[in-house]
């Protein structure tokens, strides 16, 4: 199905998510890269060596949830925009997501937006917490959003109201 | 008649890397570029590239053109770029005829030549496919990303390969609606991370679909699409109409290398490389000594491999001219290793199969 629509199934998504215990401890990267393609900037971007691809540049990246600090250096570096950061340490009811977003105009902190799933369907409300767009991100801004915890495995994008 | 040491035809990723590599070895290079700006397709690419650091992965294509041009300028005494200059003929005595600024016509004779002419877009036959508003994906990118001109308001993209999904994403970044992306193949051809970017913006990707006809009087008003079966035959009763003012055709590329065929190098039709390609050695040299090929002109691949091939061809062409750097073999092995890496995975299966039958 994924190869027909570009929409990953729940089972596929679950293989990329760290444990809930890890998510509740603090920010951690979810690397949604499912296909062997010749690409490795995530590995070089990680200052902690938490993402490994190995000798063959076609390997699928593996993120070590024990080593990953959720710093987010990989998010704006992935050419496929396949990486996001999840953080469940802030509250029991919500999760914070950090996702790449390359559309103008950018949202503003505090803005209420519509949360979308992997097929672009509206699923929830989301609140913009922070907008990061430093020169080092090279025009791939990273947006931090707060989303109700029940959408942890479904939320993947947003659109402005 | 002007005489040059190394003539490179085309200033895309392969041509620029070939020039840098050859100049580094000490060769004097003239590059012919048929448009007003060097960089080839790179200058239209606003997305980040795949690959490894050696091919500037994670940089945007347009910025890679800048990085390469900066290197070219560092070799200002060795590399000259002639813009608005189209190579139109290539003769037995290594004379290339050039049309410059669409008025001057002259000859250049070269000791060695690297053909880095890239590719051209394939077309698709359906009723009314000549209506204004029906573009190749390359034209849409040129209008949008080179000239800043909006090609229309609502687009139907035909082709879910890398170019189709990337151009769709760029259209959305420009504020243009993409109604859907369709492809006759049963699976998405693009890297799936690119497809997922579109999917989560709510753009449907319709595999096993094709265009049945375009509708419009003076310009495109709508397109009718239908499903196809596993033999690509339209399935009656599955027609859907999309009211769009742009139909963007992105059904693949073919190598552009008629100059090499005219010169008489040994050519072969290789479907895995998307067309007729020159037979060549591991060092990118064709069946005629001193004539090299690099990039999409030798078979359709990604820009990352075009750059690695360009560096390899430039190094080997210069060496053949007598400019052999001390680390020649080390560098040659390094470029070959990069190419092996880029072609080694499952998406490289086709390329490897094509390479194995086009090797001299």
């Amino acid at each position: 199905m994924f190869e027909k629509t570009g929409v990953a199934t729940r089972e596929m998504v679950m293989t990329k998510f760290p444990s809930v215990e890890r998510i509740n401890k603090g920010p951690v990267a979810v690397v949604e890269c499912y296909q062997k393609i010749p690409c490795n900037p995530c590995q070089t971007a990680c200052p902690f060596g938490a993402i490994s691809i190995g000798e063959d540049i076609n390997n699928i990246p593996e993120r070590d949830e024990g080593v990953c600090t959720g710093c987010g250096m990989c998010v704006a570096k992935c050419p496929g925009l396949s990486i996001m950061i999840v953080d469940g340490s802030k509250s029991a009811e919500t999760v914070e997501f950090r996702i790449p977003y390359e559309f103008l105009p950018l949202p503003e902190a505090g803005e209420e937006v519509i949360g979308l799933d992997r097929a672009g369907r509206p699923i929830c409300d989301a609140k913009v917490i922070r907008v990061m767009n430093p020169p080092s991100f090279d025009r791939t801004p990273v947006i931090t959003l707060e989303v109700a915890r029940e959408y942890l495995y479904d939320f993947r994008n947003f659109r402005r109201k | 008649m002007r005489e040059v040491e190394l003539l490179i035809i085309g200033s895309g990723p392969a041509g620029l890397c070939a020039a840098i590599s050859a100049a580094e070895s000490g060769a004097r290079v003239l590059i012919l570029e048929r448009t007003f700006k060097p960089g080839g397709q790179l200058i239209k690419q606003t997305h980040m590239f795949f690959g490894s650091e050696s091919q500037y992965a994670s940089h945007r294509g347009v910025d890679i053109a800048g990085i390469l041009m900066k290197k070219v300028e560092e070799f200002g005494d060795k590399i000259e770029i002639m813009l608005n200059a189209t190579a139109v003929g290539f003769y037995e005595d290594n004379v290339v005829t050039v049309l410059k600024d669409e008025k001057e016509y002259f000859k250049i004779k070269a000791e060695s030549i690297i053909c880095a002419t890239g590719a051209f877009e394939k077309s698709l036959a359906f009723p009314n496919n000549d209506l204004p508003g029906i573009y190749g994906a390359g034209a849409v990118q040129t209008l949008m990303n080179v000239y800043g001109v909006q090609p229309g308001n609502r687009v139907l993209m035909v082709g879910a390969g890398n170019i189709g999904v990337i151009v769709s994403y760029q259209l959305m970044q420009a504020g243009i609606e993409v109604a859907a992306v369709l492809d006759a193949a049963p699976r998405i051809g693009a890297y799936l991370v690119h497809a997922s970017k579109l999917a989560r913006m709510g753009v449907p990707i319709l595999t096993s679909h094709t265009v049945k006809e375009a509708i419009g009087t003076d310009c495109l008003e709508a397109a009718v699409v239908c499903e196809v079966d596993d033999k690509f035959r339209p399935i009656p009763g599955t027609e859907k109409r999309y009211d769009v003012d742009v139909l963007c055709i992105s059904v693949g590329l073919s190598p552009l290398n008629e100059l090499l065929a005219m010169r008489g190098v040994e050519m072969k039709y290789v479907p895995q490389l998307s067309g007729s390609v020159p037979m060549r050695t591991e060092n990118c040299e064709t069946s005629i000594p001193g004539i090299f090929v690099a990039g999409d002109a030798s078979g359709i691949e990604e820009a990352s491999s075009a750059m690695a091939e360009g560096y390899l061809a430039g190094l080997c062409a210069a060496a053949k001219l007598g400019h052999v750097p001390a680390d020649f073999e080390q560098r040659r092995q390094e470029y070959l290793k990069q190419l092996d890496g880029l072609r080694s995975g499952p998406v490289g299966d086709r390329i490897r199969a094509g390479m194995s039958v086009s090797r001299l």
Side-chain angles (χ1 to χ4, degrees), chain B residues 6-20:
Chain B
L6 175 61
L7 181 68
I8 297 177
I9 308 174
S11 75
L16 289 181
C17 291
I20 293 162

Side-chain angles (χ1 to χ4, degrees), chain A residues 2-4 6 35-40 56-58 76-81 102-103 118-120 138-140 157, chain B residues 48-52 58 60 63 169 173 186-188 191-192 196-197 199-201 205 207 341-342 344-346:
Chain A
F2 179 50
E3 290 183 334
K4 287 183 179 293
Q35 185 187 25
K36 290 184 119 190
I37 55 173
C39 190
N40 69 5
D56 183 353
I57 188 175
N58 290 280
K77 281 282 179 195
C78 170
L81 306 188
E102 297 185 318
F103 292 86
R118 286 173 178 75
D138 189 23
R139 293 154 289 171
T140 299
N157 193 15
Chain B
M48 290 185 273
F49 276 30
F50 292 80
S52 76
S58 212
R60 296 173 193 282
D63 297 329
Y169 183 75
Q173 286 181 305
R187 284 182 197 83
I188 295 169
Y191 288 167
L192 292 165
S196 297
K197 274 159 60 180
R200 62 179 179 256
M201 297 296 297
I205 300 176
T207 47
L342 292 168
S344 68

Side-chain angles (χ1 to χ4, degrees), chain B residues 10 15 21 29 34 53 58 93 110 138 144 154 165 182 186 198 223 227 245 264 289 303 321 327 348 352:
Chain B
S21 185
V29 180
R34 74 173 179 185
E53 276 182 334
S58 212
D93 46 1
M144 196 165 56
R154 190 162 193 258
V165 296
L182 50 110
L198 271 190
E227 287 179 40
D245 60 350
L321 290 163
D327 59 350
R352 290 198 306 279

Side-chain angles (χ1 to χ4, degrees), chain A residues 79-126:
Chain A
L81 306 188
S82 75
I83 307 179
M84 60 180 186
I85 305 292
V86 292
D87 180 1
S89 69
K90 299 285 168 76
S91 100
E93 288 78 37
T94 62
V95 187
E96 275 192 17
F97 285 85
R98 261 181 273 158
I99 61 171
Y101 183 78
E102 297 185 318
F103 292 86
L104 295 173
L106 290 174
E108 286 172 21
E111 192 174 323
E112 300 285 343
V113 295
I114 302 163
L116 308 175
D117 69 5
R118 286 173 178 75
R121 290 176 297 231
I123 49 163
C124 59
D125 293 322

Side-chain angles (χ1 to χ4, degrees), chain B residues 69-103:
Chain B
M69 277 310 293
K70 208 168 158 231
K71 285 195 178 188
V72 163
E73 280 152 22
E74 285 167 17
F75 291 106
D77 58 330
K78 291 268 187 322
I79 306 175
E80 179 192 343
I81 301 188
M82 193 183 282
L83 299 174
N84 297 309
T86 309
V88 292
F90 187 8
Y91 299 88
E92 279 177 13
D93 46 1
N94 272 4
V95 166
V96 171
T97 50
V98 181
L99 181 64
K100 178 150 169 53
D101 300 320
E102 291 183 22
K103 51 179 193 258

